[in-house]
Amino acid sequence: MDYSIETGPVEKLQCDCIIVGVYQDRQLTAAASIINGNCQGAVSQVLERGDLSGKLGEALLLNWLPGQAFARILMVGLGENKPMTSKSYCKVLAAAAESLKKTAIQSVVVTLADCAVADAGPQWQTRQIVQAFSDSVYQYVFTKSDKHTDSKLAKIIIAVSQNAQSQALAGLAEGIAIAEGVNLAKQLGDLPGNICTPTYLAGQATEIAAKSTNMTVTILEEEDMAQLGMGSLLSVARGSRQPAKLIGLHYQGGEPHCKPIVLIGKGITFDAGGISLKPGLGMDEMKYDMCGAAAVLGTLQAAAQLQLPLNIVGLVPASENLPDGNANKPGDIWTSMSGKTIEILNTDAEGRLILCDTLTYAERMNPDVVIDLATLTGACLVALGRIPSGLLGNDDDLCHDLQLASETANDSIWRLPLWEEYQELLQSNFADMANIGGKDAGTITAACFLARFAENLRWAHLDIAGTAWRTGPAKGATGRPVPLLCQYLLDRAAQVSA
Ligand code: BES
Ligand code: MN
Ligand code: ZN
């Protein structure tokens, strides 16, 4: 897809379609009224006839406009004539992109960068336009024999006023980098478990590092992990014929002395549950159990593309979780890298087992903050559904920064308590702790487990079990929380530059 910024008169831009916004009370945006004037009032006619009410996210395609530079007009409803919330704006963009999907339109001019959005400007708006269109045209084809995607869209021209040009260009670069990070995360998530193995993820990380002069990759093999005493991580890999990997992506965009931001992504490339086998129905979706890993790779790729003035380390513990004669058994006890012993009461609570050793390992990076992302608990879907990711952490400032970033990025999160009182649920008679906490508060007890390995860290945990992919007929990865993480990094980068 080709994205560009144009500052010239919108009615002169050659394209298959121009997208203009209209308000609920039949008022036109500046661009809509120019286009309206150019084609004998076609836009206002539609509103007067009542064929489009202008309600938020409604859209109508006008298809026959002879003698214009633009062959079609897509009218999109913006709702009430007042500054939109950022959430509403994203909804408008998604609706606009969606209505072009099944058309033959190849090139489109978007004039929505100048409609008023509360607390946002042309930079953010341009970025969201790129992300919305990219999100909508993504289609998984890797293992289809027909590799053609349905969407014909190839060129997106974002029209802005002259004085917004430099902001729009900055937003364009951010949008493209984030969108490509999201696409990578979706693609990796959607790949089947027989292709996207720990070794495959390591290969992807190597390719990402090769694209950038200030990024390097480290891959720890099982022997290396054994040397480090990562008994917990390795216990999960026991049931798998695919070797586990601990992947590190090290991006150096900041001053050498600056402490890195460490992102850890759960990389279970297939989670059958192990000996505590999952039920068969819907088990295919457990290929998505590496979406945390995919988001880390996508975010590091975006950060390097934008050359953010930060040091960032991405860590991905990658393994399968399968039943086997050599696999973890309920009751088995292993010693983690931290020295703490763990009784494995349920082999399906494997994510925390690979993450805890990675948290201990992260201490070696002397991190500023550590954020882990994991499709960790089905309980997160019970608590929060599929709208926000769950947020838990031991550092209020970090959690607050993430909450702000999530609002800006329109990639929502919701904080759950991580109180000391929950810790007793992890009590074990035979080891320092059990790996499960019983029926109650599953998302919290999982985070409580991780917290025991993050005592020396400023740490936050995102449970993305409900947000990393969609289930049902539109089954597919979402690329979340790449937008949130990129926003957090952009915010951090802005502090460095300030
Ligand atoms: N990967 C799953 C969590 C999951 C389940 C995410 C369903 C999305 C949808 C994780 O490894 C797991 O199996 N967790 C268990 C924990 C339990 C055994 C304490 C769960 O959620 O059932
Ligand atoms: Mn599991
Ligand atoms: Zn899992």
Side-chain angles (χ1 to χ4, degrees):
M1 184 83 75
D2 177 55
Y3 298 95
S4 57
I5 304 289
E6 278 289 350
T7 54
V10 283
E11 70 281 10
K12 301 254 167 64
L13 299 171
Q14 288 285 340
C15 62
D16 293 344
C17 180
I18 183 159
I19 303 180
V20 298
V22 296
Y23 292 105
Q24 207 159 273
D25 52 9
R26 295 187 190 170
Q27 285 188 49
L28 306 182
T29 54
S33 83
I34 293 170
I35 297 305
N36 191 42
N38 260 261
C39 42
Q40 295 126 47
V43 172
S44 45
Q45 262 301 310
V46 169
L47 296 173
E48 262 150 50
R49 287 178 173 175
D51 290 338
L52 185 81
S53 71
K55 271 210 293 235
L56 192 91
E58 254 186 26
L60 185 74
L61 187 67
L62 313 192
N63 214 297
W64 176 241
L65 302 154
Q68 305 295 338
F70 42 90
R72 305 170 186 77
I73 302 172
L74 180 72
M75 295 171 59
V76 224
L78 305 178
E80 278 179 69
N81 189 352
K82 60 171 196 203
M84 266 178 275
T85 63
S86 53
K87 205 184 238 184
S88 300
Y89 187 67
C90 293
K91 197 169 159 192
V92 166
L93 296 178
E98 210 52 37
S99 18
L100 300 185
K101 235 174 167 173
K102 292 200 171 100
T103 67
I105 293 168
Q106 294 180 15
S107 60
V108 57
V109 170
V110 187
T111 68
L112 301 170
D114 65 350
C115 44
V117 179
D119 304 319
Q123 181 167 346
W124 180 88
Q125 285 172 256
T126 304
R127 193 221 290 180
Q128 293 302 332
I129 292 170
V130 175
Q131 286 182 228
F133 278 89
S134 169
D135 196 54
S136 140
V137 302
Y138 170 85
Q139 195 179 345
Y140 175 86
V141 290
F142 197 84
T143 42
K144 298 249 190 186
S145 35
D146 180 1
K147 304 272 190 276
H148 291 98
T149 54
D150 294 341
S151 171
K152 306 282 178 298
L153 260 187
K155 192 169 168 55
I156 299 195
I157 302 155
I158 300 166
V160 299
S161 60
Q162 191 75 50
N163 56 11
Q165 188 181 27
S166 66
Q167 280 182 288
L169 284 169
L172 184 75
E174 290 169 358
I176 291 172
I178 297 170
E180 288 178 1
V182 167
N183 277 349
L184 175 66
K186 286 186 187 177
Q187 163 82 14
L188 291 174
D190 285 336
L191 281 173
N194 62 319
I195 295 176
C196 186
T197 58
T199 305
Y200 186 90
L201 286 178
Q204 290 290 305
T206 308
E207 280 183 27
I208 292 167
K211 285 190 284 193
S212 168
T213 53
N214 51 357
M215 182 142 62
T216 55
V217 68
T218 53
I219 314 281
L220 298 191
E221 305 294 336
E222 290 187 357
E223 308 87 78
D224 305 316
M225 295 184 248
Q227 284 269 312
L228 289 165
M230 296 183 165
S232 181
L233 196 169
L234 286 170
S235 79
V236 175
R238 293 174 63 83
S240 166
R241 298 183 188 188
Q242 292 290 336
K245 309 271 174 184
L246 179 51
I247 303 160
L249 268 179
H250 309 256
Y251 168 72
Q252 286 277 341
E255 299 293 333
H257 66 269
C258 269
K259 291 180 170 186
I261 295 166
V262 175
L263 304 178
I264 300 178
K266 173 179 173 183
I268 293 291
T269 59
F270 190 78
D271 180 12
I275 296 297
S276 313
L277 192 64
K278 285 183 182 295
L281 190 72
M283 207 210 268
D284 65 288
E285 294 190 10
M286 282 299 113
K287 71 175 182 179
Y288 289 116
D289 213 15
M290 37 53 71
C291 283
V296 167
L297 298 189
T299 301
L300 267 108
Q301 175 182 279
Q305 211 162 307
L306 292 170
Q307 282 295 302
L308 296 181
L310 300 167
N311 296 330
I312 312 167
V313 179
L315 295 176
V316 168
S319 174
E320 294 180 323
N321 185 30
L322 296 177
D324 174 86
N326 207 30
N328 267 334
K329 303 174 292 299
D332 284 1
I333 295 176
W334 293 99
T335 304
S336 64
M337 183 180 173
S338 71
K340 292 175 176 148
T341 59
I342 303 163
E343 184 184 17
I344 296 170
L345 290 179
N346 190 319
T347 68
D348 198 11
E350 85 298 340
R352 61 200 79 181
L353 296 174
I354 66 169
L355 291 169
C356 69
D357 277 340
T358 311
L359 283 165
T360 305
Y361 179 65
E363 283 186 29
R364 303 194 163 198
M365 318 282 149
N366 189 24
D368 176 41
V369 296
V370 177
I371 304 165
D372 82 73
L373 340 165
T375 48
L376 203 62
T377 62
C380 197
L381 277 116
V382 178
L384 298 173
R386 295 177 186 270
I387 313 295
S389 306
L391 166 69
L392 302 102
N394 63 10
D395 188 282
D396 289 343
D397 291 338
L398 172 59
C399 288
H400 184 67
D401 289 349
L402 285 169
Q403 283 168 316
L404 289 180
S406 98
E407 276 167 37
T408 311
N410 195 38
D411 186 353
S412 62
I413 57 180
W414 192 258
R415 193 170 178 187
L416 297 172
L418 190 66
W419 293 323
E420 199 52 42
E421 294 92 312
Y422 290 103
Q423 284 289 355
E424 66 192 48
L425 295 169
L426 294 172
Q427 195 271 338
S428 159
N429 284 358
F430 308 106
D432 298 345
M433 71 195 87
N435 77 329
I436 54 168
K439 287 201 308 290
D440 296 349
T443 302
I444 296 173
T445 52
C448 279
F449 181 94
L450 296 178
R452 294 180 181 221
F453 300 85
E455 282 163 346
N456 305 325
L457 303 168
R458 291 178 60 202
W459 158 78
H461 158 66
L462 292 168
D463 195 327
I464 58 171
T467 54
W469 75 93
R470 279 180 306 270
T471 188
K475 190 191 290 180
T478 61
R480 288 176 68 184
V482 172
L484 157 66
L485 294 173
C486 288
Q487 184 66 51
Y488 172 76
L489 295 176
L490 284 168
D491 292 347
R492 291 293 305 261
Q495 285 165 14
V496 172
S497 321

